[in-house]
Tab-separated table of all heavy atoms in Angstrom:
chain	number	residue	atom	x	y	z
L	1	ILE	N	6.684	0.201	-75.483
L	1	ILE	CA	7.718	-0.774	-75.834
L	1	ILE	C	7.529	-1.962	-74.916
L	1	ILE	O	7.574	-1.825	-73.700
L	1	ILE	CB	9.139	-0.234	-75.603
L	1	ILE	CG1	9.442	0.907	-76.534
L	1	ILE	CG2	10.170	-1.334	-75.782
L	1	ILE	CD1	10.826	1.496	-76.325
L	2	ARG	N	7.297	-3.103	-75.487
L	2	ARG	CA	7.259	-4.337	-74.691
L	2	ARG	C	7.317	-5.523	-75.637
L	2	ARG	O	6.889	-5.442	-76.779
L	2	ARG	CB	6.050	-4.407	-73.793
L	2	ARG	CG	4.744	-4.325	-74.506
L	2	ARG	CD	3.628	-4.179	-73.534
L	2	ARG	NE	2.673	-3.316	-74.188
L	2	ARG	CZ	1.416	-3.239	-73.909
L	2	ARG	NH1	0.934	-3.944	-72.939
L	2	ARG	NH2	0.626	-2.450	-74.568
L	3	SER	N	7.855	-6.594	-75.120
L	3	SER	CA	7.976	-7.817	-75.897
L	3	SER	C	6.642	-8.527	-75.933
L	3	SER	O	5.784	-8.333	-75.072
L	3	SER	CB	9.006	-8.743	-75.269
L	3	SER	OG	10.248	-8.112	-75.231
L	4	LEU	N	6.481	-9.382	-76.921
L	4	LEU	CA	5.302	-10.224	-76.964
L	4	LEU	C	5.357	-11.195	-75.783
L	4	LEU	O	6.436	-11.646	-75.399
L	4	LEU	CB	5.248	-10.998	-78.277
L	4	LEU	CG	5.066	-10.146	-79.523
L	4	LEU	CD1	5.211	-11.006	-80.779
L	4	LEU	CD2	3.725	-9.452	-79.516
L	5	PRO	N	4.231	-11.526	-75.194
L	5	PRO	CA	4.229	-12.442	-74.057
L	5	PRO	C	4.920	-13.761	-74.399
L	5	PRO	O	4.721	-14.314	-75.478
L	5	PRO	CB	2.736	-12.669	-73.786
L	5	PRO	CG	2.052	-11.489	-74.392
L	5	PRO	CD	2.894	-11.076	-75.566
L	6	GLY	N	5.760	-14.219	-73.474
L	6	GLY	CA	6.421	-15.510	-73.645
L	6	GLY	C	7.630	-15.500	-74.550
L	6	GLY	O	8.191	-16.553	-74.823
L	7	THR	N	8.080	-14.319	-75.005
L	7	THR	CA	9.218	-14.299	-75.920
L	7	THR	C	10.544	-14.017	-75.236
L	7	THR	O	11.588	-14.210	-75.833
L	7	THR	CB	9.021	-13.269	-77.050
L	7	THR	OG1	8.861	-11.973	-76.465
L	7	THR	CG2	7.812	-13.615	-77.904
L	8	GLU	N	10.528	-13.554	-74.013
L	8	GLU	CA	11.759	-13.261	-73.280
L	8	GLU	C	11.585	-13.630	-71.812
L	8	GLU	O	10.468	-13.658	-71.309
L	8	GLU	CB	12.076	-11.767	-73.347
L	8	GLU	CG	12.459	-11.274	-74.708
L	8	GLU	CD	12.849	-9.811	-74.651
L	8	GLU	OE1	13.334	-9.344	-73.606
L	8	GLU	OE2	12.667	-9.143	-75.668
L	9	PRO	N	12.697	-13.865	-71.122
L	9	PRO	CA	12.601	-14.096	-69.680
L	9	PRO	C	12.054	-12.848	-68.980
L	9	PRO	O	12.233	-11.736	-69.465
L	9	PRO	CB	14.041	-14.355	-69.247
L	9	PRO	CG	14.850	-14.451	-70.473
L	9	PRO	CD	14.038	-13.945	-71.618
L	10	ALA	N	11.400	-13.024	-67.862
L	10	ALA	CA	10.797	-11.905	-67.123
L	10	ALA	C	11.823	-10.833	-66.792
L	10	ALA	O	11.531	-9.641	-66.876
L	10	ALA	CB	10.132	-12.424	-65.851
L	11	SER	N	13.042	-11.230	-66.427
L	11	SER	CA	14.062	-10.237	-66.078
L	11	SER	C	14.396	-9.353	-67.272
L	11	SER	O	14.628	-8.160	-67.126
L	11	SER	CB	15.327	-10.929	-65.574
L	11	SER	OG	15.857	-11.784	-66.577
L	12	SER	N	14.400	-9.884	-68.475
L	12	SER	CA	14.690	-9.102	-69.667
L	12	SER	C	13.546	-8.166	-70.012
L	12	SER	O	13.765	-7.087	-70.551
L	12	SER	CB	14.957	-10.007	-70.865
L	12	SER	OG	16.123	-10.758	-70.659
L	13	ARG	N	12.332	-8.577	-69.740
L	13	ARG	CA	11.175	-7.748	-70.068
L	13	ARG	C	11.155	-6.462	-69.264
L	13	ARG	O	10.616	-5.462	-69.702
L	13	ARG	CB	9.880	-8.515	-69.837
L	13	ARG	CG	9.528	-9.362	-71.020
L	13	ARG	CD	8.185	-10.018	-70.836
L	13	ARG	NE	8.450	-11.427	-70.602
L	13	ARG	CZ	7.883	-12.167	-69.690
L	13	ARG	NH1	6.981	-11.673	-68.914
L	13	ARG	NH2	8.217	-13.425	-69.551
L	14	ARG	N	11.742	-6.485	-68.068
L	14	ARG	CA	11.742	-5.295	-67.227
L	14	ARG	C	12.794	-4.288	-67.645
L	14	ARG	O	12.728	-3.134	-67.257
L	14	ARG	CB	11.946	-5.695	-65.773
L	14	ARG	CG	10.704	-6.307	-65.153
L	14	ARG	CD	10.865	-6.479	-63.670
L	14	ARG	NE	11.747	-7.588	-63.325
L	14	ARG	CZ	11.368	-8.841	-63.196
L	14	ARG	NH1	10.110	-9.157	-63.388
L	14	ARG	NH2	12.212	-9.779	-62.875
L	15	GLU	N	13.782	-4.723	-68.422
L	15	GLU	CA	14.871	-3.838	-68.813
L	15	GLU	C	14.851	-3.620	-70.318
L	15	GLU	O	14.829	-4.562	-71.082
L	15	GLU	CB	16.215	-4.451	-68.433
L	15	GLU	CG	16.400	-4.624	-66.950
L	15	GLU	CD	17.724	-5.298	-66.624
L	15	GLU	OE1	18.633	-5.283	-67.462
L	15	GLU	OE2	17.815	-5.836	-65.526
L	16	VAL	N	14.843	-2.359	-70.717
L	16	VAL	CA	14.927	-2.028	-72.127
L	16	VAL	C	16.224	-1.257	-72.317
L	16	VAL	O	16.508	-0.309	-71.584
L	16	VAL	CB	13.720	-1.179	-72.584
L	16	VAL	CG1	13.872	-0.750	-74.021
L	16	VAL	CG2	12.430	-1.961	-72.394
L	17	ASN	N	16.994	-1.679	-73.287
L	17	ASN	CA	18.256	-1.038	-73.599
L	17	ASN	C	18.049	0.471	-73.748
L	17	ASN	O	17.133	0.906	-74.443
L	17	ASN	CB	18.755	-1.656	-74.914
L	17	ASN	CG	20.066	-1.120	-75.369
L	17	ASN	OD1	20.355	0.070	-75.265
L	17	ASN	ND2	20.876	-2.000	-75.908
L	18	PRO	N	18.899	1.311	-73.119
L	18	PRO	CA	18.756	2.763	-73.241
L	18	PRO	C	18.797	3.252	-74.701
L	18	PRO	O	18.104	4.189	-75.060
L	18	PRO	CB	19.940	3.308	-72.453
L	18	PRO	CG	20.301	2.227	-71.499
L	18	PRO	CD	19.967	0.940	-72.198
L	19	LYS	N	19.599	2.602	-75.532
L	19	LYS	CA	19.661	2.975	-76.941
L	19	LYS	C	18.301	2.734	-77.606
L	19	LYS	O	17.822	3.552	-78.396
L	19	LYS	CB	20.746	2.158	-77.641
L	19	LYS	CG	20.969	2.525	-79.076
L	19	LYS	CD	22.133	1.715	-79.656
L	19	LYS	CE	22.318	2.022	-81.126
L	19	LYS	NZ	23.390	1.230	-81.712
L	20	THR	N	17.660	1.635	-77.258
L	20	THR	CA	16.340	1.320	-77.797
L	20	THR	C	15.320	2.357	-77.364
L	20	THR	O	14.518	2.823	-78.164
L	20	THR	CB	15.903	-0.086	-77.342
L	20	THR	OG1	16.888	-1.027	-77.756
L	20	THR	CG2	14.559	-0.460	-77.922
L	21	ARG	N	15.366	2.748	-76.099
L	21	ARG	CA	14.444	3.766	-75.595
L	21	ARG	C	14.612	5.086	-76.338
L	21	ARG	O	13.618	5.743	-76.669
L	21	ARG	CB	14.671	3.995	-74.106
L	21	ARG	CG	13.599	3.384	-73.322
L	21	ARG	CD	13.557	3.852	-71.905
L	21	ARG	NE	13.171	2.731	-71.099
L	21	ARG	CZ	11.972	2.181	-71.113
L	21	ARG	NH1	11.035	2.657	-71.887
L	21	ARG	NH2	11.696	1.156	-70.363
L	22	ALA	N	15.857	5.480	-76.597
L	22	ALA	CA	16.128	6.739	-77.303
L	22	ALA	C	15.556	6.698	-78.719
L	22	ALA	O	14.938	7.665	-79.183
L	22	ALA	CB	17.622	7.028	-77.332
L	23	VAL	N	15.768	5.585	-79.416
L	23	VAL	CA	15.252	5.445	-80.778
L	23	VAL	C	13.725	5.438	-80.746
L	23	VAL	O	13.066	6.066	-81.581
L	23	VAL	CB	15.810	4.175	-81.463
L	23	VAL	CG1	15.091	3.885	-82.771
L	23	VAL	CG2	17.302	4.348	-81.709
L	24	TRP	N	13.139	4.749	-79.784
L	24	TRP	CA	11.680	4.683	-79.662
L	24	TRP	C	11.094	6.080	-79.461
L	24	TRP	O	10.116	6.465	-80.105
L	24	TRP	CB	11.323	3.773	-78.488
L	24	TRP	CG	9.877	3.489	-78.368
L	24	TRP	CD1	9.017	3.994	-77.437
L	24	TRP	CD2	9.096	2.608	-79.176
L	24	TRP	NE1	7.767	3.490	-77.625
L	24	TRP	CE2	7.789	2.630	-78.684
L	24	TRP	CE3	9.396	1.803	-80.265
L	24	TRP	CZ2	6.765	1.887	-79.257
L	24	TRP	CZ3	8.380	1.053	-80.828
L	24	TRP	CH2	7.088	1.101	-80.323
L	25	LYS	N	11.717	6.858	-78.557
L	25	LYS	CA	11.243	8.209	-78.273
L	25	LYS	C	11.325	9.079	-79.523
L	25	LYS	O	10.391	9.824	-79.834
L	25	LYS	CB	12.072	8.811	-77.133
L	25	LYS	CG	11.607	10.164	-76.681
L	25	LYS	CD	12.429	10.651	-75.501
L	25	LYS	CE	11.978	12.027	-75.061
L	25	LYS	NZ	12.749	12.499	-73.914
L	26	GLU	N	12.435	8.985	-80.241
L	26	GLU	CA	12.616	9.777	-81.448
L	26	GLU	C	11.637	9.349	-82.537
L	26	GLU	O	11.052	10.184	-83.229
L	26	GLU	CB	14.069	9.635	-81.938
L	26	GLU	CG	14.516	10.712	-82.897
L	26	GLU	CD	14.252	10.365	-84.340
L	26	GLU	OE1	14.243	9.179	-84.685
L	26	GLU	OE2	14.022	11.284	-85.128
L	27	LEU	N	11.416	8.055	-82.673
L	27	LEU	CA	10.478	7.542	-83.676
L	27	LEU	C	9.064	8.056	-83.393
L	27	LEU	O	8.368	8.513	-84.301
L	27	LEU	CB	10.486	6.011	-83.679
L	27	LEU	CG	9.491	5.357	-84.634
L	27	LEU	CD1	9.876	5.630	-86.084
L	27	LEU	CD2	9.432	3.851	-84.382
């Protein structure tokens, strides 16, 4: 899971919403 380069601020790239992580793991 990662954003395309240049699409989000660096601080946002380091944090992934826990809900997103759960869906990613299940997918």
Side-chain angles (χ1 to χ4, degrees):
I1 294 179
R2 58 189 145 158
S3 300
L4 295 172
T7 59
E8 292 184 29
S11 60
S12 295
R13 276 185 252 136
R14 285 189 286 273
E15 296 177 20
V16 176
N17 181 321
K19 184 176 177 182
T20 303
R21 255 195 216 291
V23 170
W24 187 254
K25 185 177 179 179
E26 198 270 331
L27 177 67

